[in-house]
């Protein structure tokens, strides 16, 4: 593209600090790969453990120059440098997201934060206020919205290609809790343990862990929030206290109805994510197992298969592909798309430039607040056995 | 197979009368092809219109030897013959199924009947009682349970291959009501008109037309009934009075939970039917678009693709294939499987022989009663906005 | 359709005699189902064994009224009746096709014959001459050309939708000879034994059995014959004398080039048949595992998925579907399409009516002659290690 | 993994110089992303143009610290530094690969080089000798062998899972030359122009550009070289001098036979790459459009779908995935796998350590020599119209 982006204007990589991701967890490497992929960041500082020695050892192994044991130390250390970090990426357990994020904003840093935003709506709303006041960029890591063809679906619906959407179905199935893993705590990885602990993982494991992804995917693609839900949330595996499954009837603003199913008890399912949406003029279908294709259906006519990388896609989707059709991009590239957009917005702030407007389609703190309201509504509906509205304030 | 079936014992084709299917409707040819496919029937009589001349003309065009204008005439005419019909197939509008079926049973005929069983539960239960008293065979045309790989799924679950099922999702999407077809009644085919008329089509178009199929598919595969539902039933297309969409949270006997989505407003969807079920030891997935394959998932292991026709399938599924793997069978063969099983059961009755026990896996009047209870529960839940139990009596 | 077809004009079913198909072979039931499916035939006579008693027993089991032990008896028996057969269907071992066909034509019957036409080109050409002189209808059972979406591909190319075709690939893989089945002749089914015997099965098992199907599929879709081949034909499984694999480079009339691979040694492959063709303006892809969809590719644009049953298809394809999209038809329906077209052409001859012109797209004796010329060319090329032309005369 | 790899022993990133990739070409970004992805390299020097100012500008835009206009300058500049580069990645036009590589080896650098190795076999063999003498690591960028499931296929065959392989089919289709692009040279991107110029792109465009990929994929998966070919190479688009299509019958060492089809004239095909291989005990199928799954077929038994990331895969494949099943990795990750293995081997050389033995499965100069011998054989066969042997010396 001919136009000069804020990143080019800035003329250097964003200096990033990472908070978390030092242990065995998968998400640390994913964030670091995503940050590196398009060369928009250099990871120069990290809090990789609350134990100073461990944080140092971990940083060294990862070739991260500066290690800190906690936020106060990082704020102090980085503030003292001319080349201190511009932004942080937070990938710690759920109960600490909001705190770390608020401290980072207070230090003047932009924030890319793992989902869910927080474990309760109140914290989420406070954080949203802090983001607003700070003027800093906040990206919530709903990474599935980074897929080029998810963006194509969003752009196609926004352009009215299938008419007003009246039906939506979103499914997110995993199998990690398909059996009674709790019977063998000694075999559970650490990341599973804290996630199943309501104090750290949040009040509803399935909703916090994958339900919010499914919710965000639906609202991102349709461009409208969920208004009310009729939900059944709980454990389908006997003897389990943590929630493993949420079956949710949706009513969206604008009139779409449909369903959301999220379960971690789908034994053998391989992170199966699907969304389909239908309006008067047609339908769309996308699934992560075949991420580079979007199916566009038409009444009484052939379906269309749109491939990532095609020149005929909407600009929002074209921007999210690095390669031409037939050179598939996948999970890490989608994740990297969030980082690339985040970099552009951060660069714009630092350089006082206009960012590429297409970079503004990343999930933000507002998605996080909506996600927490969705969790609240699902839990309330499930308890009362009747409809509950999603209230974001 | 070496074993002598009742059909071989009987040594002749079943003599069949057809009720309905004479007009432009698709379902008439489907039934007649299904009846002919395995050569188990000869269609020798028919009520193809309530107008005697039209019934005659239609029968002649279809090369059906004896035409009648109504049930009384058929009963009289066939009773007078030594080679009168053994059984009838009913494919008329929904509001007439139960009446025709009761009269047929009273005449001593076995019955294969289109779904739904009736437009109200009371009629359905009366018919069930009539079937019990008659000692006649009654098959309800939930044709999707005729697919070899749906039967493999049922047999696999019954054999405990995935453990106790705790999660199920079933989806049935069509697009015929994706737009406001009501605005152009002159373009609506006759079969759509009576279906949308609650008096003829039943109280909930989507539930009667496809919801009962989805419900039967789930209960057939899992082998357990639906206990309670949380449902949102109505029209997603503005200004429509008929129901086009049902979003239903399921609780099944035995503890499985999950969702059922049925919609006729999925513009561009091509009769999209999917079912997946998960237990502690794995999962199953089948979709009609790829009817000869069943996916069997296992935790942390490769999935298995079972193809119709394989010698390793369960006997119930092997019996439902005519051809080896790679020679795909589809909708009409699945439909014909119901007819073939029905023929075997009817032959057993006539010949006083034991039928092949695998022929007993056809949908019966009990499926119909359960389907009507499901409709009642969904409507009740949707109205009250809270859980409703499925009560079959 | 409003137009009166020859079948309607004739006003009765075609009376069919079957030759072969009485034993355990799969092809007998397939032909009989295909003949019955659209109600265009009544099977009233058969030669089901050369042993009179066995032929009678087999006919009785199949409810075929008249059994004969040989052609002379059938000709005599049927000629003596006012309602004698109109046509025969031949499904005997390969070496007998031509003889039976010639006798049938001499008796004034139309012929539907299994492929290959004969085991040598000379017999094939003689039969072609006999067909020409007889004025009778001759259909060669290249059943894959009965698929609606194969016909759509043919029609799309004929209509110039992808421009002049310059590239074609056709693949036909089976696994029945993947291992040394010859080591256990006691486990080999009878139909495999005669097929592997060059005297009965023909000079090249793989080419006669499936190579001719692949060849016909390519020429049917492209609408042009194969001009010359560069082939490697033989056994890839060590110690086998029969040919199990043919790798063939193709040059087609009109300039298309490409490849044909046929093998019976693809262990585990489930009758895998694919064809793709490319011209200057796009490409087409079809595979039997997903028979209701044709993929239409365009340069730098989304692909199109055409589904069987869509109203937007070419008339040739529309005519080959009985059901709307999403109600899949498959192998038996494709086979039945040949029978339906054959019925129409036979009815036209008998009734002296014009047949539906779309019925004329069945494979004929010319396809058979071309197939034998293709076999000759492949064998000649494989022996000489260089190009060989396909000579049909 | 517990074991200490050479990369960990080395304790720093490999210092890499890039040669080429400065212009609009796609391959530059691909290499740089692949090098960055696993953090094994820092790109510190580059020859991005033969014009010194342009090379500098390009390096600056890419944030590469040191720019050179030619090899002599890079050798001099880097030799003078304590922290000079360890290795180079070459991504220039085909005719310059061998020269750059020899100079790099002479400078003591390890080399990762784009394919094809050279434009003629003689240069290729000379380079192979230089590699041998240098003791340096040489990786040829046949990136498709970096896919986890291609490696699973290789490992499965090596482990004898499908028995001795007797049949192979490999297809590589692109559409960029589907029409007469030569008629509008003004619209051709620069990278297409040099590729179509035999002086720069090599004697056979299709064979050099994608045929060598297909050839390497087949030999990599089967573990055996091609022995002889029967080929038809040329232009299927009229009026074109460059080769756009190669149809090749294969005979492999060890007895496998089969076909390779490579074409750039498959209009609308999206870099379509498939390989299937069959032995006595089963078959394997992989296609790039669905890169995370390998289909394993068995005679008369269900197929197995192996997903990338599963713990049950062969170590060679497990090592090539960063994420668990259901988190798809694709083209860039496969490319990065070559870089990661290359880094490990280079680190082992520098640190005098044993590399992870699984890193040794990258394509090397030997693949390049075999690829050039394959091109020679195909051209020779195509010209003579008969078999040609692949001679690597």
């Amino acid at each position: 593209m001919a136009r000069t982006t804020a990143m080019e204007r800035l003329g250097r990589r964003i200096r990033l600090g990472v908070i978390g991701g030092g242990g065995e967890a998968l998400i640390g490497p994913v964030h670091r790969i995503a940050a590196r992929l398009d060369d928009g960041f250099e990871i120069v500082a990290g809090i990789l453990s609350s134990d100073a020695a461990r944080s140092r050892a971990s940083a060294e192994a990862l070739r991260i120059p500066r290690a800190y044991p906690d936020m106060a130390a990082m704020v102090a250390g980085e503030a003292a440098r001319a080349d201190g970090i511009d932004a942080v990426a937070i990938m710690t357990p759920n109960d600490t997201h909001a705190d770390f994020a608020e401290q980072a904003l207070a230090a003047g840093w932009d924030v890319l934060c793992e989902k869910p935003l927080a474990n309760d709506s109140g914290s989420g709303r406070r954080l949203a206020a802090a983001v607003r006041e700070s003027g800093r960029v906040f990206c919530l890591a709903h990474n599935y919205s980074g897929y080029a063809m998810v963006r194509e679906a969003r752009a196609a619906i926004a352009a009215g290609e299938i008419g007003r959407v009246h039906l939506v179905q979103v499914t997110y199935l995993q199998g990690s809790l398909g059996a009674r893993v709790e019977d063998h705590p000694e075999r559970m990885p650490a990341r599973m343990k804290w996630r199943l602990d309501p104090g750290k993982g949040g009040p509803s494991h399935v909703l916090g862990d994958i339900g919010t992804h499914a919710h965000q995917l639906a609202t991102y693609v349709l461009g409208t929030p969920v208004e009310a839900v009729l939900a059944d949330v709980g454990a389908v595996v006997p003897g389990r206290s943590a929630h493993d499954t949420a079956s949710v009837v949706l009513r969206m603003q604008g009139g779409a109805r449909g369903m959301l199913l999220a379960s971690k008890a789908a034994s053998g399912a391989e992170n199966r994510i699907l969304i389909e949406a239908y309006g008067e003029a047609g339908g769309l279908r996308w699934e992560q197992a075949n991420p580079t294709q979007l199916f566009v259906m038409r009444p009484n006519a052939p379906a269309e298969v749109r491939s990532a990388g095609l020149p005929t896609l909407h600009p929002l989707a074209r921007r999210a592909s690095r390669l031409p059709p037939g050179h598939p991009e996948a999970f890490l590239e989608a994740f990297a798309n969030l980082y690339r957009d985040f970099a552009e917005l951060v660069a714009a702030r630092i350089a006082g430039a206009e960012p590429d407007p297409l970079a503004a389609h990343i999930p933000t703190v507002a998605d996080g607040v909506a996600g927490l309201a969705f969790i609240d509504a699902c839990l309330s509906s499930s308890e009362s056995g009747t409809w509950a509205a999603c209230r974001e304030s």
Side-chain angles (χ1 to χ4, degrees), chain A:
Chain A
M1 272 187 270
R3 94 186 271 296
T4 302
T5 64
M7 270 307 274
E8 283 166 10
R9 179 89 165 269
L10 180 62
R12 63 164 175 87
R13 297 181 185 94
I14 306 295
R15 292 186 289 262
L16 187 72
V18 291
I19 305 175
E24 53 163 330
L26 193 67
I27 205 66
V30 165
H31 275 270
R32 293 189 299 267
I33 290 174
R36 264 197 311 270
L37 204 132
D38 294 300
D39 207 22
F41 296 88
E42 47 183 341
I43 304 176
V44 291
I47 304 173
L48 294 149
S49 168
S50 56
D51 176 279
R54 267 197 216 153
S55 187
R56 242 189 341 264
S58 193
E60 200 170 322
L62 297 169
R63 300 190 200 100
I64 297 174
R66 304 188 291 274
Y68 301 100
D70 57 38
M71 203 63 179
M74 185 150 84
V75 171
E78 295 298 307
R81 308 177 58 102
D83 64 350
I85 58 174
D86 303 304
V88 295
I90 301 170
M91 55 203 86
T92 52
N94 300 352
D95 60 322
T96 65
H97 292 172
D99 258 15
F100 277 124
E102 288 191 41
Q103 294 178 63
L105 293 167
W109 298 328
D110 305 283
V111 174
L112 189 153
C113 183
E114 257 307 320
K115 40 57 56 185
L117 193 59
N119 276 348
D120 67 286
S121 288
S123 306
R125 284 195 297 265
R126 271 195 308 278
L127 178 53
V131 170
R132 256 190 320 274
E133 284 154 32
S134 73
R136 289 301 178 268
V137 182
F138 188 95
C139 175
L140 193 66
H142 280 304
N143 53 293
Y144 301 105
S145 56
Y147 274 109
M149 301 320 284
V150 168
R151 293 185 170 194
E152 176 70 9
R154 174 179 167 94
I157 285 176
E161 288 190 35
I162 61 168
R164 190 188 64 91
V165 177
H166 53 231
L167 182 67
V168 62
Q169 183 176 31
V170 57
T171 303
Y172 193 148
L173 301 179
Q174 291 185 339
S176 53
L177 299 182
R180 279 274 309 162
V181 292
E182 296 90 338
D183 294 345
H184 296 282
E186 74 283 3
R187 294 188 209 149
M188 288 168 70
R191 66 178 177 276
M192 186 180 273
K193 277 185 193 158
W194 73 249
R195 282 201 171 95
L196 289 178
D197 168 359
K200 288 183 181 256
S204 176
H205 175 53
V206 68
L207 284 169
D209 205 42
I210 61 174
T212 49
H213 272 314
H215 165 266
Q216 198 269 341
L217 187 59
T219 57
Y220 187 79
V221 166
L222 268 67
T224 52
V226 174
E227 223 167 50
V229 300
L230 198 51
D232 185 24
V233 186
V236 298
V237 172
R240 170 171 290 157
S241 57
H243 295 168
D244 58 30
T245 300
S247 304
V248 187
V249 177
L250 301 173
R251 291 209 178 173
M252 315 266 304
Q253 229 175 65
R257 301 197 202 176
M259 307 201 78
L260 179 155
L261 177 63
S263 179
K264 310 212 42 143
S267 308
E270 295 179 340
N271 201 43
R272 183 164 157 72
I273 307 174
L274 300 91
I275 183 163
E276 36 197 323
Y278 298 90
E280 299 215 354
L284 302 174
R285 189 169 72 237
W286 178 84
E287 53 180 309
Q288 198 208 199
N290 182 15
T292 59
Q293 302 197 315
L294 178 72
F295 286 82
V296 183
M297 295 164 266
R298 300 285 172 207
N300 303 313
E304 208 180 278
V305 187
R306 299 189 187 169
S307 287
L310 278 175
T312 52
L313 300 184
H314 289 273
L316 185 62
R318 283 214 306 279
R319 188 175 184 280
S321 285
R322 292 155 191 83
L323 301 171
H327 299 74
E329 300 182 50
F331 184 91
L332 292 169
E333 289 78 11
F335 219 113
N337 284 339
L338 296 195
Y339 267 92
R340 190 166 56 168
D341 289 343
F342 179 63
E344 172 69 6
L345 296 174
V346 173
R349 178 189 64 76
I350 298 174
E354 274 303 301
D356 184 329
L358 294 174
H361 289 257
I362 50 168
T364 68
V365 75
D367 294 75
V369 169
L372 294 172
F374 174 73
I375 293 179
D376 285 352
C378 287
L379 293 177
S380 161
S381 168
S382 187
E383 185 152 342
S384 69
T386 188
W387 288 94
C390 292
R391 295 180 198 290
E392 299 185 17
S393 56

